[in-house]
Amino acid sequence: MRKLSGLLVAGAVAAVSFLAAPPASALAEQAPAAPPAPKVRTDVVVPSFDGTPIHTNFFPALGLQAGEKAPTVMVGPGFGLPGSRIPSTGTSTLIGSIGIAPLREAGYNVVTWDPRGFGLSGGEAYVNNPAYEGRDGQALIDFIAEQPEAELDAPGDPVLGMAGASYGGGIQFVLASQDKRVDAIAPTIAWNNLTTSLYKADAFKSGWGTLLCLEGTVTGQLGELVGNSGALAAPVRKACREGMRYPNTLSPESLAYFESLTPQSMFTSITAPTLIIQGTVDTLFTLDEATRNYNLIKSTGTEVKMLQFCGGHGLCSSGVAGPDRITGAVLDWFSKHLDGNDVSTGPGFEFIDQLGTTRAAEGYPAPVGALTGSGKGTLLLSPAAVSGGVIAAAWAPVAVNAPVTAPAAATQVFGAPQLTLTYRGTSRTPDTHVYAQIIDKSRSSLVAGNQVTPVPLILDGTERTITVPLEEISYLVTPQSRLVLQVTPSSSVYTSPKVTALTSFTASVSLPVIGNYPVVQ
């Protein structure tokens, strides 16, 4: 760790004083009282650019003495949640976000805050809009630079890192792109584009939408993920109304608004070293969202690392957790990029399979082959046909099944399977969806990666063929595995079908296979 500033000078002064020290009795009479050690400050009101009060909490590094300084890490909360006011907060097992305690123990000041529209802060939530929440973040950086415990790169420029999950991950991309005072970031389970994450292929994610647009606080385990108890801005309220009401279609205005929040240029303008942490079973912000962020940031030459774990916005249904590596990875990242220490941050890309085995690569693993499968059948598409769970995919009892040929030896599937679907059907309302997922019948029909993908259809009586990528998965396949592609009428991760139509399908799928990569111990 970088030594806290002032220690060497203080030591030299102490040595000189000792050589010429007066009698102890004189010291007792003359020595002033030692200044108090820095204290935790909660609910400090920081006015933003438009006067909106942002309630902020400052936690000095543990062991910091009066006059000493340390780098600072901003830790943002999930959507709808206030910033943590509990100094002992540890790393979350569910979402994989490092907590206040391990950061302070490692020698960092920590700042948390209630985002605009949530907790005790004023205003309305614009969903990490650079023009609002981004400028709020810049006001917080100004505040940090004024704190006596904050180490500075220059006047007004603190030595600064950022951490946090979900909404607290998204704000890192926003702030790092618009303020170069951010020196390093570690976003966890964040998104690339809200339209592709919440409205993929024009199918609204009703399970997550219900939680994100819900009035009142979400408590319990899901409270770590989302808890909308605040005020949403007009364009966000509009999108919620559209998505949650029939026909569950977002307007061009809502699509344009969400597209404007995270343009590709935002990611390519980031120069702060970036550690992307992503959950393999995340059904809100899937692996593909993180992959796009990784590729965009890496394309500019900015240092970037991907660390995957079994968790996120979704439960690790295979029974394997994986956030234990996160605390060490984040601390190493900040040690290198905030403290300037010569420490290893490991390989550039770490991915994990359903058994909990982590493997290392220098970049995104490239496919070297494929496992394939095919099948055919008919389905009655109906608004009454529902499978799956609110935020998790599940085996579908009604589906067109396409068995995948098992490999002769253990094989690592990684990336986005490719689905080709030939279909024919007729409906008065021609536009609808079916849903595709990979299940493993040898593991109680576990859905690979907990992932399901909407596939758009046009049922006008014409035979049509569509080829689409499915959600990315990381799955170790053995000769005993019995993988099956399922094409199912519905999934309650998404909105229910809007049509009734008997439809025929011929499906083929190709699962990308990668080479052998070393196991990370």
Side-chain angles (χ1 to χ4, degrees):
M1 300 292 294
R2 176 184 297 169
K3 295 186 181 297
L4 299 173
S5 58
L7 287 180
L8 293 178
V9 173
V13 171
V16 172
S17 299
F18 176 79
L19 293 176
S25 58
L27 280 175
E29 295 175 0
Q30 300 174 9
K39 293 183 178 180
V40 170
R41 284 98 73 186
T42 57
D43 284 321
V44 178
V45 175
V46 176
S48 192
F49 70 98
D50 58 354
T52 296
I54 305 298
H55 277 250
T56 306
N57 312 294
F58 189 93
F59 303 91
L62 288 180
L64 202 66
Q65 300 300 309
E68 296 176 347
K69 300 178 184 295
T72 303
V73 177
M74 297 170 63
V75 180
F79 184 78
L81 299 175
S84 177
R85 292 168 171 80
I86 304 174
S88 61
T89 303
T91 300
S92 167
T93 301
L94 178 64
I95 63 176
S97 177
I98 193 169
I100 296 173
L103 288 167
R104 296 182 72 206
E105 290 167 0
Y108 300 107
N109 306 318
V110 177
V111 167
T112 66
W113 71 100
D114 297 358
R116 172 183 293 256
F118 300 124
L120 298 176
S121 290
E124 296 177 322
Y126 287 83
V127 192
N128 282 342
N129 189 322
Y132 291 92
E133 287 85 358
R135 293 171 73 182
D136 295 342
Q138 291 183 295
L140 292 176
I141 297 178
D142 293 341
F143 162 78
I144 292 168
E146 296 170 353
Q147 303 313 299
E149 302 90 346
E151 184 175 344
L152 303 180
D153 285 323
D157 181 0
V159 179
L160 182 64
M162 296 187 72
S166 193
Y167 202 57
I171 190 61
Q172 296 179 56
F173 293 123
V174 172
L175 194 52
S177 71
Q178 69 186 81
D179 199 314
K180 299 309 178 185
R181 291 179 294 177
V182 178
D183 297 305
I185 61 176
T188 301
I189 56 172
W191 65 92
N192 172 266
N193 188 304
L194 287 173
T195 58
T196 57
S197 56
L198 284 172
Y199 196 58
K200 193 177 187 73
D202 294 341
F204 188 71
K205 244 173 218 183
S206 59
W208 281 111
T210 299
L211 295 173
L212 292 169
C213 297
L214 191 66
E215 293 184 2
T217 301
V218 177
T219 58
Q221 193 172 42
L222 287 178
E224 291 193 57
L225 301 173
V226 56
N228 179 10
S229 59
L232 303 181
V236 185
R237 296 197 305 271
K238 173 180 171 63
C240 281
R241 289 194 301 269
E242 294 167 351
M244 297 307 299
R245 298 175 184 173
Y246 186 84
N248 313 106
T249 302
L250 297 189
S251 65
E253 294 81 13
S254 292
L255 290 173
Y257 177 75
F258 285 126
E259 290 280 359
S260 72
L261 297 180
T262 53
Q264 288 195 3
S265 59
M266 186 181 84
F267 297 95
T268 55
S269 66
I270 292 173
T271 57
T274 302
L275 170 61
I276 297 175
I277 304 167
Q278 186 64 25
T280 57
V281 295
D282 197 311
T283 58
L284 177 58
F285 304 135
T286 60
L287 282 179
D288 178 64
E289 298 287 320
T291 297
R292 278 179 276 158
N293 294 341
Y294 173 86
N295 287 333
L296 285 168
I297 295 172
K298 188 174 184 179
S299 70
T300 65
T302 294
E303 183 176 352
V304 61
K305 174 185 172 75
M306 172 76 80
L307 176 64
Q308 296 181 354
F309 73 103
C310 189
H313 299 91
L315 301 180
C316 190
S317 57
S318 64
V320 177
D324 53 311
R325 310 182 69 90
I326 292 173
T327 298
V330 173
L331 293 181
D332 285 344
W333 196 256
F334 289 155
S335 178
K336 178 179 179 180
H337 297 295
L338 299 184
D339 300 314
N341 292 326
D342 184 16
V343 299
S344 172
T345 56
F349 202 103
E350 296 185 36
F351 57 101
I352 188 171
D353 64 25
Q354 81 280 9
L355 302 177
T357 303
T358 298
R359 291 179 170 81
E362 288 310 309
Y364 190 90
V368 296
L371 299 178
T372 61
S374 61
K376 61 176 59 178
T378 59
L379 290 174
L380 177 62
L381 308 187
S382 168
V386 176
S387 62
V390 175
I391 58 171
W395 168 78
V398 177
V400 170
N401 295 306
V404 176
T405 301
T411 300
Q412 178 68 45
V413 168
F414 185 88
Q418 296 294 310
L419 168 68
T420 297
L421 197 63
T422 298
Y423 65 93
R424 185 196 298 268
T426 303
S427 173
R428 292 180 181 178
T429 305
D431 296 338
T432 189
H433 295 83
V434 288
Y435 300 87
Q437 59 190 18
I438 306 294
I439 67 167
D440 189 347
K441 297 182 72 173
S442 68
R443 291 178 58 87
S444 301
S445 296
L446 174 74
V447 178
N450 201 27
Q451 299 299 329
V452 59
T453 305
V455 182
L457 305 181
I458 301 175
L459 301 182
D460 59 0
T462 302
E463 182 176 275
R464 297 176 180 272
T465 298
I466 183 173
T467 298
V468 295
L470 304 186
E471 295 287 4
E472 293 186 20
I473 58 174
S474 177
Y475 208 86
L476 184 68
V477 186
T478 70
Q480 291 74 41
S481 300
R482 295 293 179 264
L483 298 189
V484 177
L485 164 75
Q486 287 196 312
V487 177
T488 178
S490 65
S491 168
S492 61
V493 172
Y494 288 90
T495 50
S496 298
K498 305 176 183 66
V499 305
T500 298
L502 186 64
T503 308
S504 62
F505 296 93
T506 299
S508 62
V509 66
S510 174
L511 281 62
V513 169
I514 61 175
N516 294 322
Y517 287 86
V519 173
V520 178
Q521 301 299 329

